[in-house]
Amino acid sequence: MKTTKQKQKGFLALVSLAVTMAMLTACGGAPSGSSSPGSSSPGSETKAPGTEWAEEVGLNKTETVDELYEKAKKEGKVVVYSQSSRIKDVKATFEKQYPGVEVEAYHMGTNDVVEKVIREQGAGVFHADVAFLKESAGTVTNEILAKGMMHPYKPTDLTTHMIEPYKTERAGLVPYVSLRAFYYNTEAYKSPPIDSWWDLTKPEWKGKVILEDPTISADTMDLFLAVIANPQDMEQAYKEEFGKDIELDGTENASYEFFKRLLANDPILVKSSDEAVEAVGAPGQSSPPIAISASSKQRDIKEKGLKVAVTYDIKPKVSVAGESYLYIINKAPHPNAGKLLIRWMAGEADGKAEGFKPYNVQGSWSTRTDNGRDDQPPLDQLNVWPADHNFFYQNFTKFRDFWMSNQ
């Protein structure tokens, strides 16, 4: 388990984000310079905050790359807040493809991107152009998008190649989906040593389950909230695993009971996917742990010499679909360069742009039909829970408090 100091650091980060959201809501919610919710002019329909600006800069249009490049060169650069460290690879190929347009990239976790956008928009500071992030327990949908702090940019020549729901959903552009995967050591185990979430609560795995701390990792928090959203699945999985109905120990359902037992089994909480996967895959271990971590970390296995593999055969579901979203930030100072960058990262109209290559790795699933991989199960065949962002948003505080109180 984490130390008291580490627990406090993760908890304070969440408190900081909650306070920021509360301050913004108290101030009316809409970012400086945008229309407020429900406002409209005579004879017009009510528009969401920031809609007029988004239309003015053409976020509802499909422009040619040449048109955007000419406008982007006049803007000179594009600023991106990215939840992925691979943005450095995107920067290199983009600047080579589009001389004269610099990429100013900031790598930070999704929760940090969320907090930074909320603070800057609330203060009327318009610095960044593109946000690349996950949902963060529904905060993006229910706070940032609802208040017009970010806007979707989904040109039709890109979305026409996408599968549903990513083709028509109203949220931002989703170039790929990833999971939280179950990792095991291949030297110690010739086949996956677990096949159920409930295995993690058994005595033989006491102190040997590595998790990214959900108070730090937005991906892990969303996965755990998906478990909370589906107690009937966890109840059935318990019966299949142990051959009897579950008995609750002061909890309200099978999902909360699972997390109570998991925490009582002394899981190891870490800060990053790298830390989790490397701990499991280090060679020469006689009794290695298992981990739930980012599926895309499979790209590092060979380079790092790790003895590790993933299993997707976990009951009742292996994970939740973890979408990575691209948005234009409200009142972006370089909107055309931002649009050009999003197109590049999404693979461009033909799906072949090098900006998507850093993300087209094993453990990530393209949302397009023309640039996926054939060395892993297809996206539509994965046994995953859907991401119910409204449920996540409504139940985040309750689950977070339960998690903290049971550590």
Side-chain angles (χ1 to χ4, degrees):
M1 301 283 285
K2 296 185 70 174
T3 66
T4 300
K5 184 175 181 180
Q6 288 172 323
K7 293 178 186 176
Q8 290 175 340
K9 184 177 180 181
F11 178 73
L12 289 174
L14 288 171
V15 170
S16 176
L17 177 57
V19 170
T20 301
M21 291 160 53
M23 290 172 58
L24 187 59
T25 302
C27 293
S32 176
S34 69
S35 59
S36 58
S39 65
S40 63
S41 58
S44 67
E45 296 182 359
T46 300
K47 292 185 176 181
T51 299
E52 291 183 1
W53 176 84
E55 293 176 349
E56 287 174 4
V57 299
L59 298 189
N60 58 341
K61 298 179 180 178
T62 296
E63 301 154 285
T64 69
V65 171
D66 290 340
E67 289 172 337
L68 287 175
Y69 183 33
E70 288 304 311
K71 296 175 183 178
K73 283 191 290 186
K74 295 176 182 178
E75 295 171 347
K77 71 174 181 179
V78 55
V79 180
V80 54
Y81 295 159
S82 171
Q83 51 92 13
S84 169
S85 62
R86 287 169 279 174
I87 193 66
K88 65 181 184 299
D89 301 315
V90 174
K91 170 182 168 67
T93 60
F94 181 88
E95 291 178 347
K96 181 179 179 180
Q97 179 73 15
Y98 300 111
V101 186
E102 176 191 0
V103 177
E104 187 176 310
Y106 296 87
H107 171 224
M108 59 191 81
T110 281
N111 289 336
D112 295 322
V113 176
V114 167
E115 182 175 0
K116 194 166 183 64
V117 169
I118 290 176
R119 287 189 180 276
E120 289 183 348
Q121 291 285 307
V125 175
F126 307 112
H127 172 65
D129 306 296
V130 175
F132 184 37
L133 74 172
K134 300 290 183 67
E135 245 293 341
S136 190
T139 303
V140 172
T141 294
N142 291 279
E143 290 288 339
I144 293 181
L145 294 180
K147 295 182 172 71
M149 299 180 221
M150 297 192 311
H151 307 285
Y153 171 63
K154 302 183 70 173
T156 56
D157 61 344
L158 298 185
T159 59
T160 189
H161 299 286
M162 291 183 170
I163 64 173
E164 295 291 3
Y166 310 110
K167 184 175 183 176
T168 57
E169 72 170 14
R170 297 179 62 187
L173 194 74
V174 179
Y176 69 93
V177 173
S178 58
L179 309 178
R180 298 281 98 178
F182 286 74
Y183 285 85
Y184 66 96
N185 187 289
T186 54
E187 277 189 334
Y189 307 104
K190 301 307 178 185
S191 60
I194 63 170
D195 62 8
S196 170
W197 280 80
W198 288 102
D199 284 325
L200 307 183
T201 68
K202 293 179 178 179
E204 58 263 36
W205 293 106
K206 187 176 182 65
K208 294 172 58 181
V209 177
I210 299 178
L211 307 169
E212 288 169 67
D213 190 339
T215 67
I216 297 174
S217 167
D219 300 84
T220 303
M221 177 59 77
D222 279 3
L223 171 57
F224 287 0
L225 287 169
V227 175
I228 291 296
N230 293 278
Q232 69 287 348
D233 288 349
M234 295 302 290
E235 184 175 354
Q236 179 62 31
Y238 181 92
K239 189 170 185 177
E240 290 179 10
E241 184 66 27
F242 297 107
K244 60 182 180 180
D245 291 334
I246 190 170
E247 295 183 9
L248 305 181
D249 182 18
T251 57
E252 64 182 80
N253 58 46
S255 293
Y256 276 100
E257 183 67 24
F258 165 78
F259 284 111
K260 182 175 181 178
R261 297 187 189 187
L262 173 66
L263 287 167
N265 219 28
D266 295 335
I268 302 168
L269 302 184
V270 297
K271 296 180 180 179
S272 71
S273 297
D274 289 322
E275 187 177 355
V277 176
E278 289 171 14
V280 172
Q285 299 185 71
S286 59
S287 182
I290 54 177
I292 301 176
S293 193
S295 58
S296 61
K297 289 301 175 181
Q298 293 175 75
R299 70 186 190 272
D300 298 330
I301 290 175
K302 185 175 181 180
E303 179 183 346
K304 294 182 177 180
L306 301 177
K307 305 298 182 180
V308 68
V310 304
T311 177
Y312 299 118
D313 188 17
I314 298 291
K315 294 180 179 180
K317 306 284 186 181
V318 65
S319 188
V320 66
E323 298 97 348
S324 291
Y325 292 92
L326 286 161
Y327 288 101
I328 295 290
I329 298 174
N330 188 53
K331 293 189 178 293
H334 318 102
N336 294 294
K339 288 185 277 186
L340 197 62
L341 179 64
I342 286 178
R343 294 183 64 95
W344 187 246
M345 294 177 69
E348 261 303 342
D350 62 1
K352 298 178 181 179
E354 291 186 29
F356 181 63
K357 288 184 179 179
Y359 307 106
N360 194 15
V361 298
Q362 191 171 11
S364 291
W365 285 263
S366 173
T367 58
R368 297 175 60 139
T369 60
D370 57 356
N371 64 355
R373 303 177 62 89
D374 58 9
D375 57 354
Q376 57 190 10
L379 178 58
D380 60 1
Q381 293 182 20
L382 293 172
N383 186 26
V384 297
W385 285 294
D388 186 342
H389 298 306
N390 287 328
F391 178 92
F392 296 174
Y393 184 74
Q394 294 163 5
N395 289 271
F396 162 73
T397 301
K398 178 182 176 181
F399 175 71
R400 179 203 62 195
D401 293 345
F402 177 88
W403 179 271
M404 296 294 295
S405 66
N406 280 276
Q407 282 186 287

